[in-house]
Amino acid sequence: MFSRIRNWRRQRTARGYQVGADAWAAAESRLPFLDFLPPADRPRLRQLALEFLAEKEMTGAHGFHLTDEIRLGIALQACLPILNLGLDWYRGWVGVVVYPGDFVIPRELVDEAGVVHEFDDAVLGEAWEGGPVLLSWLDEPQQGDRINVVIHEFAHKLDMLDGSVDGMPPLHEGMSARAWREAFEGDYRDFRAYVDSGNDSWLDPYAAEHPSEFFAVNAEAFFETPLWLQEDFPAVYEQLKLFFRQDPAAGEASHSPRDGDAG
Ligand SMILES: [Zn+2]
């Protein structure tokens, strides 16, 4: 009910940020998939990115200095999934911690015998329920491997919004939970079987780890390689289109050539 005040405050704070054309250009040149956006949406995405930066606290870990280019690059990618949903979809937390490369999270696992195993897990990102998003910033854009850490972790944030990390975010009115499950569960099963049989895949095989990872990885693909996703997982694409209220495969940039892989 206070969202109008909140919006007004965000816009006022965002106006305090001065970003030069060079900084935008530098940040966007690393994100070629923004070409899938209808041109009129580009300024809206920039504005939302400024509001995101005004509202969230982005810090560098291990003394990592965050340049404008890095901050904008992360904000643009974080805001792409919520461009037509709004910043309230990232409510309830403020921190974005950026590491200069992959980082280690200490884990604890209790096995069937009740023995506690402690180990370090090297990760590229992690989203904590009600807490910060942790990201690694890779200096060279990861061309070719089609992994998008930022979209991946923020997709987890959307998934968590209803209190369960199960690969299904809160759906909009008019969407069907049954249609969502049918699309995702069927393709998840098929994809697991496909990967387990030793097949190569253009979709990050990490998607086969858990339904929540299947959702997060498909969200990456939806924005980065929408034509491939639409071709191989049409039902998933359709549900993501309804959820994100975007249709990147219909965009101008239907140029992404498919380099002959089977995935
Ligand atoms: Zn994940």
Side-chain angles (χ1 to χ4, degrees):
M1 104 179 89
F2 298 110
S3 71
R4 289 177 72 160
I5 299 176
R6 213 161 44 225
N7 278 339
W8 173 83
R9 233 183 241 133
R10 270 179 199 140
Q11 285 160 10
R12 188 189 56 176
T13 316
R15 275 197 292 275
Y17 281 83
Q18 297 298 325
V19 177
D22 285 0
W24 282 122
E28 288 176 352
S29 71
R30 298 177 57 119
L31 311 172
F33 51 89
L34 293 183
D35 288 351
F36 287 111
L37 270 183
D41 278 351
R42 195 68 80 97
R44 284 206 305 124
L45 182 64
R46 286 182 175 188
Q47 173 61 27
L48 195 61
L50 291 179
E51 290 172 23
F52 176 90
L53 288 171
E55 186 158 298
K56 303 300 182 199
E57 275 166 22
M58 203 183 287
T59 47
H62 303 154
F64 186 37
H65 173 66
L66 299 183
T67 61
D68 276 353
E69 184 185 332
I70 295 175
R71 295 165 61 81
L72 291 172
I74 290 172
L76 285 166
Q77 294 177 85
C79 289
L80 183 59
I82 55 157
L83 181 62
N84 294 332
L85 304 180
L87 210 44
D88 276 351
W89 283 74
Y90 293 153
R91 64 184 173 266
W93 55 276
V94 290
V96 179
V97 184
V98 188
Y99 291 78
D102 63 353
F103 52 97
V104 161
I105 295 180
R107 309 257 193 224
E108 224 180 69
L109 203 77
V110 184
D111 67 18
E112 290 113 42
V115 180
V116 178
H117 300 268
E118 291 179 359
F119 59 101
D120 288 337
D121 200 8
V123 296
L124 288 173
E126 183 147 289
W128 291 355
E129 210 168 338
V133 174
L134 315 182
L135 298 171
S136 52
W137 182 260
L138 304 166
D139 234 0
E140 288 305 309
Q142 302 289 288
Q143 299 291 356
D145 67 3
R146 304 178 199 107
I147 287 174
N148 188 307
V149 179
V150 182
I151 291 178
H152 183 102
E153 297 308 332
F154 281 85
H156 281 317
K157 275 293 189 190
L158 298 173
D159 185 3
M160 287 168 181
L161 211 47
D162 57 7
S164 58
V165 190
D166 57 357
M168 185 165 80
L171 303 182
H172 309 300
E173 232 181 280
M175 288 185 70
S176 150
R178 195 172 148 202
W180 181 281
R181 275 196 214 98
E182 276 174 10
F184 276 83
E185 284 171 9
D187 280 349
Y188 175 63
R189 259 196 318 272
D190 287 353
F191 185 68
R192 277 187 72 129
Y194 180 82
V195 170
D196 285 350
S197 319
N199 291 302
D200 279 339
S201 158
W202 63 267
L203 190 74
D204 184 356
Y206 191 59
E209 292 281 313
H210 187 269
S212 64
E213 300 302 347
F214 191 68
F215 166 67
V217 170
N218 274 290
E220 296 173 54
F222 181 79
F223 292 105
E224 286 218 317
T225 49
L227 298 166
W228 300 0
L229 186 70
Q230 192 182 40
E231 193 179 320
D232 282 352
F233 301 97
V236 161
Y237 183 90
E238 205 50 35
Q239 290 301 311
L240 292 177
K241 181 175 112 179
L242 292 172
F243 175 66
F244 291 119
R245 295 178 166 150
Q246 298 187 49
D247 189 6
E252 300 276 310
S254 352
H255 50 54
S256 174
R258 180 151 192 167
D259 21 79
D261 53 358

